[in-house]
Amino acid sequence: MKAMVLTEYENYGKLALQDVDNPVCAPGHAVIKVGAAGICYHDVIACRGHFPRTKVPGIIGHELAGTVVEVAPGEGQTV
């Protein structure tokens, strides 16, 4: 799949569209085929390196719309 990957902090030119492995559907989670995605100020701050859990390389963007393609049974599942 394609993903926008942050490859270096403090340099927005270091965002790269890359091929990455398809996600594995963990128990209690779902896989969504993304139709549209955006970034918000949280992502801007992450790109600056100000969130300790943001690692490079890392996929950014968590605001999305799409189609659920897989749901794995398990705790936390709501459908």
Side-chain angles (χ1 to χ4, degrees):
M1 70 175 207
K2 299 276 187 194
M4 188 59 69
V5 178
L6 175 65
T7 60
E8 183 180 307
Y9 297 123
E10 295 290 338
N11 186 342
Y12 298 109
K14 296 298 181 174
L15 292 170
L17 186 62
Q18 297 181 356
D19 286 311
V20 298
D21 293 337
N22 286 332
V24 175
C25 194
H29 289 82
V31 173
I32 299 171
K33 181 177 181 182
V34 177
I39 61 170
C40 68
Y41 198 65
H42 176 276
D43 299 304
V44 172
I45 295 169
C47 288
R48 292 177 181 165
H50 295 262
F51 281 123
R53 292 180 297 189
T54 302
K55 306 292 183 211
V56 290
I59 298 172
I60 66 162
H62 60 268
E63 297 183 358
L64 58 93
T67 305
V68 175
V69 294
E70 182 180 359
V71 177
E75 187 174 326
Q77 176 183 349
T78 57
V79 178

